[in-house]
Amino acid sequence: MTIEIKSMGYIRVASTDLDAWRTFAEKVLGLAVGRGPNPDHLYYRIDEVSARVVVFPAEVDQLSATGWEVADHQALQAARLHLKEAGVVFEEGTPDELADRRVQELVRFSDPWDNVFELFHGITYESRPVVTPYAARFVTGDQGMGHIVIPVTDDVEALRFYTEVLGFRLRDSMSMPGEFVGKEPGSKVWLRFLGVNPRHHSLAFLPMPNPAKCVHVMLEVDELDHVGRALERVRKHKAPLSATLGRHMNDEMVSFYVRSPGGFDVEFGCEGLRVDDARWVARESTAVSYWGHDFGGQ
């Protein structure tokens, strides 16, 4: 028995500056304004789901939680049993939390590095077609809303926890010198890329602490022109560019990175690789990208 996560469903972001997020989400990323039950929260759509990104006022700027979708009540109940057997303490979503996320059920738990996961089912979707401000169409569907990279301190235990406890599948790996993250010289640490659906990876981890509790979130659009136009909006609104345009080796994404008001990056890209688990072989890539992605920024 394992947990059968279908896709990454939503992110929730704590913010000290909602106005900064309004500009960033709407003017830079081009997300569509959604609606929700709390007038103090910002709700954003990229597809038919009522809200994929929710930003709420707080005293810190960081990722608050990532929602992961399962198929139905039976799948969530199986997840409860599996978490209990694995010794993972979880809590049930309150009525107010279910209402704000527009889901029927959810359970919340933290991984060993205090990253918050919410497993849910029954999220609402809208009858109104999503119309984004700059006409971009986001790639979601069976691939979910995108992918996320989270910080850990133990890459060996992280791989065990996410695969054996949460049911993610290893898709790709990349090594880096251990001294980059404070380990002894000559050692090696691993970045692992994990999937649950045809998207090359929905979750990845970096063995390095991060106060934003997130390294980056990726959103994918369906055309290169939408990536180029977004890059122009980054420059127009003077958003901090974290990495120049490039194409990754592992998922073949053509993308750039921009720093969000939450302190983590947003990768904005297109042409991401779809994989077939029956044929996929996990390998180790020898570089971050085929070209581009200068993390020196401008």
Side-chain angles (χ1 to χ4, degrees), residues 1-295:
M1 182 175 62
T2 187
I3 297 174
E4 294 189 10
I5 294 173
K6 295 296 187 182
S7 68
M8 177 179 166
Y10 58 77
I11 61 170
R12 296 182 60 82
V13 181
S15 175
T16 63
D17 189 345
L18 263 61
D19 286 338
W21 265 102
R22 282 191 186 93
T23 299
F24 182 73
E26 298 166 29
K27 301 296 186 183
V28 178
L29 299 181
L31 310 187
V33 176
R35 294 179 291 185
N38 193 321
D40 295 328
H41 293 188
L42 304 179
Y43 301 90
Y44 291 105
R45 294 178 61 191
I46 60 174
D47 59 6
E48 72 277 5
V49 172
S50 296
R52 292 289 198 177
V53 179
V54 178
V55 186
F56 61 90
E59 296 182 355
V60 294
D61 290 297
Q62 61 183 206
L63 180 75
S64 174
T66 307
W68 299 92
E69 187 164 24
V70 300
D72 50 27
H73 169 75
Q74 286 77 14
L76 189 59
Q77 184 61 18
R80 288 184 178 99
L81 295 174
H82 184 72
L83 290 172
K84 187 174 182 179
E85 289 180 0
V88 177
V89 177
F90 61 88
E91 60 186 19
E92 298 290 332
T94 66
D96 285 346
E97 290 169 342
L98 300 182
D100 197 54
R101 292 153 178 77
R102 263 86 44 99
V103 302
Q104 292 181 27
E105 286 184 280
L106 77 83
V107 298
R108 179 191 303 103
F109 61 92
S110 295
D111 70 9
W113 305 277
D114 201 32
N115 299 300
V116 180
F117 287 70
E118 295 181 350
L119 301 179
F120 71 89
H121 78 86
I123 201 166
T124 62
Y125 59 104
E126 302 290 329
S127 61
R128 296 176 296 111
V130 64
V131 180
T132 61
Y134 304 102
R137 291 178 296 276
F138 288 85
V139 176
T140 59
D142 62 351
Q143 299 187 75
M145 74 167 283
H147 75 235
I148 192 163
V149 183
I150 56 179
V152 302
T153 56
D154 184 338
D155 52 335
V156 175
E157 173 59 18
L159 181 61
R160 186 203 70 81
F161 183 83
Y162 299 137
T163 56
E164 295 182 14
V165 178
L166 301 188
F168 286 88
R169 299 182 287 277
L170 180 63
R171 293 281 173 74
D172 210 289
S173 301
M174 187 185 306
S175 65
M176 59 188 289
E179 52 263 40
F180 283 9
V181 295
K183 305 286 186 181
E184 59 274 11
S187 64
K188 181 184 291 189
V189 293
W190 290 97
L191 289 72
R192 305 286 192 179
F193 302 86
L194 311 171
V196 288
N197 58 44
R199 190 179 292 283
H200 175 273
H201 59 280
S202 296
L203 175 72
F205 60 82
L206 181 69
M208 186 182 297
N210 183 316
K213 299 179 73 171
C214 176
V215 180
H216 75 254
V217 173
M218 189 284 299
L219 299 175
E220 182 179 359
V221 290
D222 67 344
E223 293 179 6
L224 179 61
D225 285 347
H226 291 314
V227 178
R229 292 180 183 121
L231 189 54
E232 289 187 342
R233 297 194 301 271
V234 167
R235 297 190 175 112
K236 177 182 177 181
H237 294 282
K238 297 181 171 56
L241 187 68
S242 300
T244 59
L245 192 70
R247 185 187 289 275
H248 282 306
M249 275 191 71
N250 58 7
D251 68 353
E252 302 180 6
M253 188 80 67
V254 178
S255 63
F256 65 86
Y257 291 70
V258 59
R259 182 58 53 93
S260 77
F264 55 85
D265 287 342
V266 173
E267 180 185 4
F268 197 97
C270 67
E271 301 181 10
L273 182 67
R274 287 177 62 97
V275 306
D276 176 359
D277 272 309
R279 300 170 180 269
W280 186 255
V281 176
R283 291 178 173 172
E284 177 187 351
S285 57
T286 55
V288 173
S289 305
Y290 288 116
W291 55 268
H293 285 141
D294 176 3
F295 281 86

